[in-house]
Amino acid sequence: MTATSLTRPASTGGGRGRRPGRSGARSMGGVGRAKRREAIALVVPSLLPVLLLSVAPLLVGVLLAFTDARLVRRPEYEVVGLENFQRLLDNGFFWDSFRIGMVWAVSVTVLQLLAGMGLALLLNADLRLQGLTRVLALIPWAMPPVVVAIMWRMIYSPNAGPLNAALGGLGLPDDINWLADFSTALPAVVVVGVWVGMPQTTVTLLAGLQQIPGELNEAASVDGANAWRRFTAVTLPSLRPIVTSITSLNFIWNFNSFSLVYVLTEGGPGGKTMLPMLFTYLEAFKNRNIGYAAAMGVVLVVVVVLLLSAYLWSQFRAEKER
């Protein structure tokens, strides 16, 4: 009796001691499930627009690339496999537009970086009316591309444009048709592209410059480094991650440009400014070959992804070597 009475409370107490542990685990599991449900509830509203407006159209475009779809009132199309891509291999006009697009994208991206870097360094200095200067630097970014293109068409006008008037005042030829001449059309469009995109690059680089500790430049000055040496040894290495990011984004945006060049030249003269996106647009909505145009879009996306992957890989590899 005594042994039994002594052991029973121990076993009962042990059972009671284990029960709170199980309930605690259940409560922790319930909290974890509640947090997961809360996270899903927060993510789904932002994820649905991405799926509906970005992922779904992209998948539809990829599927159309393997069909003979045409832009008609009652579309009837069949799956043709790789036929559209085989046609692209023999389409010299498309590859010419791709070459022009690469020249355009690389030129505009590099010049935007150089001009944006110079302007960012200037705005980061202690200047008078610094706030007003920064606002003025953002004006091209705030203007719609179509308005910018119309404004620059007026500037480039061969008859009443201020550019030719200024050249005439300097005794230089003043009858240049900048947007219709084979030798000047693409450079003139590149200038507009740089002017439009430079503020975005400037703001990004300016934000990076303001995050560099002033002590680094002061220490370099004490060591006898001049302005150029401080820029190459302190400023540029500190900005390298930002330069990599903004260069990649600018290249994508510039390569996919459409509205600016379309309003300026519509791809002319003689296809000298026919960018790939413009060529694809005309194939889809002028020639009504939706499936063929979708195949062009797929090729462009793949090529841009490969180029950017190679660029980013080289940048990350260089960072690791340092």
Side-chain angles (χ1 to χ4, degrees):
M1 292 292 292
T2 306
T4 305
S5 61
L6 290 174
T7 56
R8 281 179 180 173
S11 61
T12 305
R16 290 175 182 173
R18 286 192 297 270
R19 285 174 186 170
R22 296 194 194 101
S23 62
R26 286 196 297 269
S27 63
M28 291 178 64
V31 172
R33 287 192 295 271
K35 289 184 177 180
R36 285 195 293 271
R37 288 194 295 268
E38 182 180 356
I40 293 173
L42 293 173
V43 170
V44 168
S46 60
L47 186 61
L48 283 178
V50 175
L51 294 175
L52 294 176
L53 302 178
S54 296
V55 177
L58 178 63
L59 294 177
V60 172
V62 172
L63 294 176
L64 286 175
F66 298 93
T67 68
D68 60 351
R70 291 184 56 82
L71 187 63
V72 293
R73 179 173 296 180
R74 296 179 181 178
E76 295 180 1
Y77 48 86
E78 299 177 354
V79 177
V80 296
L82 299 176
E83 181 178 332
N84 290 326
F85 298 95
Q86 293 173 352
R87 288 175 60 192
L88 275 180
L89 293 176
D90 300 326
N91 192 335
F93 294 109
F94 173 74
W95 297 112
D96 284 342
S97 73
F98 188 84
R99 176 185 57 81
I100 294 171
M102 289 300 298
V103 172
W104 152 269
V106 172
S107 301
V108 174
T109 301
V110 172
L111 292 175
Q112 280 177 350
L113 179 62
L114 296 177
M117 181 69 76
L119 186 56
L121 291 171
L122 186 63
L123 294 177
N124 194 49
D126 293 330
L127 300 175
R128 296 181 61 184
L129 302 177
Q130 191 177 61
L132 177 61
T133 306
R134 292 181 179 181
V135 171
L136 293 176
L138 292 176
I139 288 178
W141 196 15
M143 298 175 64
V146 174
V147 175
V148 171
I150 294 174
M151 181 186 71
W152 277 92
R153 286 193 66 173
M154 296 173 61
I155 294 174
Y156 284 139
S157 175
N159 299 321
L163 180 57
N164 277 345
L167 292 176
L170 297 174
L172 299 174
D174 59 353
D175 58 348
I176 303 175
N177 196 344
W178 295 95
L179 296 176
D181 190 278
F182 281 22
S183 60
T184 61
L186 185 57
V189 174
V190 167
V191 170
V192 181
V194 173
W195 187 81
V196 171
M198 185 177 63
Q200 175 180 314
T201 305
T202 301
V203 171
T204 305
L205 294 175
L206 180 60
L209 288 172
Q210 293 177 344
Q211 298 301 316
I212 301 176
E215 293 80 3
L216 296 178
N217 283 311
E218 293 176 2
S221 299
V222 171
D223 291 338
N226 56 22
W228 175 251
R229 182 59 182 168
R230 292 197 302 271
F231 175 75
T232 56
V234 177
T235 303
L236 196 57
S238 301
L239 290 178
R240 186 168 283 112
I242 297 177
V243 169
T244 301
S245 302
I246 194 62
T247 302
S248 303
L249 293 174
N250 282 344
F251 180 81
I252 295 174
W253 289 326
N254 292 328
F255 191 81
N256 292 328
S257 294
F258 169 75
S259 58
L260 186 68
V261 180
Y262 182 76
V263 176
L264 282 171
T265 63
E266 296 185 10
K272 291 296 181 180
T273 60
M274 183 65 72
L275 302 184
M277 290 300 115
L278 183 54
F279 189 90
T280 303
Y281 167 82
L282 294 176
E283 187 67 35
F285 296 100
K286 184 176 181 181
N287 298 332
R288 299 178 179 272
N289 294 323
I290 296 295
Y292 192 38
M296 294 179 184
V298 171
V299 170
L300 294 176
V301 169
V302 171
V303 171
V304 170
V305 169
L306 291 176
L307 290 174
L308 283 176
S309 299
Y311 170 72
L312 294 175
W313 178 80
S314 64
Q315 293 296 316
F316 293 148
R317 183 178 180 182
E319 288 290 336
K320 288 182 179 179
E321 291 178 354
R322 292 188 187 91

